[in-house]
Amino acid sequence: MDTVQHMARGAGNWLKRLWPLLLLLGVGGLVIAMGWHRYLTLEHLANNRESLRDLIAGHYLLALAAFVAIYAVTVSLSLPGGAVLTIAGGFLFGWLAGGIASVIAATVGATVVYLVAKTTLRDFVVARAGPRLKRFADGFREDAFSYLLFLRLVPVFPFWLVNLAPGLLGVAFGTYVLTTALGIIPGTFAFSLAGNGLDSVVEAQQAAHQSCLAKAGEGGQELCPYGLDPGALLTPELIAGLVALGLASLIPVAVKWFRRRPA
């Protein structure tokens, strides 16, 4: 009987600890099962742009708050679509308001992932981590600001992974939030500016699509796919600029390393 009660208490403790993670996984699974994530495409945005703009014109603040909420939930559930939402923000609200809203929403969503990782998974990971991982975590925390700023500025790793790892490595809350907000500003406003001029891109793509369909005749839908790829907005110049900013963020780490070298 005592053993059963002990196991029940242990299960209850684990449930109390893991419920935020289980909640995120459950909601994320529901969203994918219902297919709601398929609406996060530029094609869906382009096809509904007039009705969305009419809605925003009548309820601007409410629409902006709804956008921030949807964006934050998308990031906290680690669903794909962040780039599309950033473009949508610039497209629907203008580059400035849309960019600010996207930075706030992405930071809030990323912070949710960080807090869940820190409160539910970190003790489990630390208990099973070897000395090598512990040394890596200690070194990462020592220059966490520079490292995280670099990872935010240069999209080397998936956004969800950069949201998750600092919580497991014990990065301070303030450092995480500040580097997240600062690090995503350049890329966010670049995509928001691109979204602000998306009308001309949509019209050109639609005209090219209709022209292709007219020439192709029957079976044209297969020969003339219609698509808007947010990745196409990542020009070499934009990538080079983000890499340059990221490398600049590592200068303090490099200076510290050179100072530590024996003379």
Side-chain angles (χ1 to χ4, degrees), residues 11-98:
N13 290 335
W14 271 106
L15 186 60
K16 289 179 182 179
R17 178 182 292 272
L18 294 177
W19 75 263
L21 176 62
L22 296 175
L23 178 62
L24 286 184
L25 293 175
V27 175
L30 175 64
V31 169
I32 293 173
M34 298 298 293
W36 294 334
H37 63 294
R38 297 193 185 98
Y39 291 102
L40 298 177
T41 65
L42 289 182
E43 290 88 345
H44 188 76
L45 173 65
N47 292 334
N48 295 275
R49 64 187 189 279
E50 295 303 329
S51 57
L52 288 171
R53 282 174 168 166
D54 289 342
L55 178 65
I56 291 169
H59 307 85
Y60 184 83
L61 292 179
L62 183 60
L64 189 61
F67 170 78
V68 171
I70 292 171
Y71 198 139
V73 170
T74 300
V75 173
S76 65
L77 297 178
S78 299
L79 297 173
V84 172
L85 284 169
T86 305
I87 294 169
F91 183 60
L92 297 172
F93 300 102
W95 70 269
L96 181 58

Side-chain angles (χ1 to χ4, degrees), residues 16-250:
K16 289 179 182 179
R17 178 182 292 272
L18 294 177
W19 75 263
L21 176 62
L22 296 175
L23 178 62
L24 286 184
L25 293 175
V27 175
L30 175 64
V31 169
I32 293 173
M34 298 298 293
W36 294 334
H37 63 294
R38 297 193 185 98
Y39 291 102
L40 298 177
T41 65
L42 289 182
E43 290 88 345
H44 188 76
L45 173 65
N47 292 334
N48 295 275
R49 64 187 189 279
E50 295 303 329
S51 57
L52 288 171
R53 282 174 168 166
D54 289 342
L55 178 65
I56 291 169
H59 307 85
Y60 184 83
L61 292 179
L62 183 60
L64 189 61
F67 170 78
V68 171
I70 292 171
Y71 198 139
V73 170
T74 300
V75 173
S76 65
L77 297 178
S78 299
L79 297 173
V84 172
L85 284 169
T86 305
I87 294 169
F91 183 60
L92 297 172
F93 300 102
W95 70 269
L96 181 58
I100 293 173
S102 296
V103 169
I104 293 172
T107 302
V108 170
T111 302
V112 170
V113 177
Y114 161 87
L115 291 173
V116 170
K118 188 172 184 179
T119 57
T120 64
L121 296 176
R122 183 167 183 264
D123 290 344
F124 177 82
V125 172
V126 169
R128 286 156 179 78
R132 183 175 298 180
L133 182 58
K134 185 179 183 304
R135 287 196 298 271
F136 171 78
D138 292 341
F140 190 92
R141 286 196 301 272
E142 184 177 351
D143 294 298
F145 188 92
S146 294
Y147 287 138
L148 284 178
L149 198 56
F150 172 80
L151 291 173
R152 291 301 187 190
L153 288 167
V154 183
V156 179
F157 299 104
F159 192 67
W160 64 266
L161 181 59
V162 183
N163 295 340
L164 180 69
L168 300 178
L169 297 175
V171 173
F173 176 81
T175 300
Y176 177 84
V177 174
L178 183 59
T179 53
T180 298
L182 291 177
I184 65 176
I185 284 175
T188 296
F189 275 94
F191 274 97
S192 187
L193 281 165
N196 196 43
L198 191 62
D199 261 328
S200 59
V201 176
V202 170
E203 291 171 1
Q205 286 284 74
Q206 288 178 338
H209 179 64
Q210 293 299 324
S211 175
C212 181
L213 288 176
K215 294 177 181 178
E218 292 186 9
Q221 289 295 342
E222 295 182 2
L223 297 173
C224 305
Y226 174 73
L228 296 168
D229 181 14
L233 300 175
L234 280 173
T235 63
E237 293 79 10
L238 174 59
I239 294 174
L242 294 177
V243 170
L245 288 171
L247 292 176
S249 70
L250 291 178

Side-chain angles (χ1 to χ4, degrees), residues 244-258:
L245 288 171
L247 292 176
S249 70
L250 291 178
I251 290 175
V253 179
V255 170
K256 187 181 293 186
W257 183 79
F258 276 108

